[in-house]
């Protein structure tokens, strides 16, 4: 049996430090979205997912994005995004229209009222992101996470080429919105 065959059969077990890192990441991945969602619900009446959708539109120069791209940005299925877009449309925060460059696609467009909602919500959301995540990290940890995030984005984009609508689910910053 070759080394490659043995490695294929034998798992590369995590050592003590890797296990601690894995468990801390799982804890953060599980708790952070719920905490951000609770903050947003309390402060603005938006769910974390609704905010992601509005912020994803606000970050575009023309405040519009293909629904399929917005689903990828928001880390969700197109079906979930469509249901959410319907709710946000009923509040006057976005509308949908056919893509004039390719009628097979639908664009989501942020309205002025939607923009105002994001602008009003963003400062509290940023404060929550800082309180729950950024301020808990050392500057070295923040810097160390950034290259891994970019590598993850590259991997996700490569997967998306093979499997359309593959979501990256990343938390990114931008003015005035922080998804």
């Amino acid at each position: 049996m070759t080394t490659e065959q043995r490695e294929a059969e034998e798992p590369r077990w995590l050592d003590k430090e890797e296990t601690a890192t894995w468990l801390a990441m799982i804890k953060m991945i599980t708790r952070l979205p719920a905490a951000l969602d609770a903050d947003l619900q309390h402060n603005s009446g938006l769910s974390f997912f609704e905010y992601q959708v509005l912020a994803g539109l606000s970050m575009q120069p023309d405040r519009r994005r293909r629904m399929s791209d917005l689903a990828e940005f928001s880390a969700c299925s197109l079906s979930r995004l469509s249901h959410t877009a319907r709710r946000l449309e009923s509040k006057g925060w976005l509308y949908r229209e056919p893509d004039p460059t390719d009628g097979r696609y639908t664009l989501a467009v942020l309205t002025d009222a939607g923009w105002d909602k994001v602008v009003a919500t963003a400062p509290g959301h940023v404060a929550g992101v800082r309180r729950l995540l950024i301020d808990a990290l050392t500057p070295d940890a923040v810097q160390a996470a950034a290259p891994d995030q970019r590598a993850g984005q590259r991997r996700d984009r490569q997967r998306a080429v093979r499997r359309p609508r593959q979501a990256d689910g990343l938390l990114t910053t931008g003015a005035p919105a922080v998804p």
Side-chain angles (χ1 to χ4, degrees):
M1 179 181 287
T2 68
T3 302
E4 289 174 354
Q5 289 171 326
R6 263 194 315 278
E7 287 177 359
E9 292 177 17
E10 182 67 25
R12 284 186 55 220
W13 298 109
L14 301 178
D15 64 25
K16 190 174 183 176
E17 185 175 300
E18 291 168 335
T19 299
T21 300
W22 167 245
L23 294 174
M25 289 296 292
I26 289 301
K27 186 177 181 180
M28 188 267 312
I29 289 167
T30 303
R31 292 183 177 174
L32 182 61
L36 291 171
D37 190 70
D39 276 357
L40 282 163
Q41 289 280 0
H42 179 263
N43 296 327
S44 69
L46 288 173
S47 71
F48 180 63
F49 181 68
E50 290 169 331
Y51 183 76
Q52 277 291 101
V53 170
L54 295 175
L57 294 171
S58 77
M59 297 165 124
Q60 299 300 305
D62 58 356
R63 300 185 195 167
R64 62 185 64 232
R65 200 171 199 166
R66 283 183 175 171
M67 290 285 288
S68 54
D69 294 340
L70 189 56
E72 181 178 333
F73 172 83
S74 301
C76 71
S77 69
L78 200 49
S79 175
R80 180 179 184 200
L81 177 60
S82 293
H83 290 290
T84 301
R86 190 175 314 118
R87 278 194 315 277
L88 297 174
E89 279 178 312
S90 73
K91 295 177 182 184
W93 294 335
L94 69 78
Y95 65 90
R96 292 177 281 182
E97 66 184 14
D99 185 337
T101 62
D102 188 338
R104 296 175 295 173
Y105 295 97
T106 300
L107 297 176
V109 183
L110 188 66
T111 64
D112 289 341
W115 172 261
D116 292 344
K117 184 66 173 176
V118 172
V119 169
T121 303
H125 179 58
V126 170
V129 169
R130 286 201 166 282
R131 178 176 47 82
L132 295 167
L133 179 66
I134 301 300
D135 291 346
L137 300 173
T138 65
D140 288 343
V142 172
Q143 178 119 19
D148 293 339
Q149 181 181 14
R150 286 190 296 273
Q153 287 173 320
R154 281 192 301 276
R155 280 192 306 274
D156 287 339
R157 277 195 299 274
Q158 289 167 349
R159 284 187 202 124
V161 169
R162 292 189 300 275
R163 289 185 281 147
R165 298 185 196 95
Q166 178 70 25
D168 64 346
L170 300 173
L171 181 68
T172 59
T173 59
V178 177

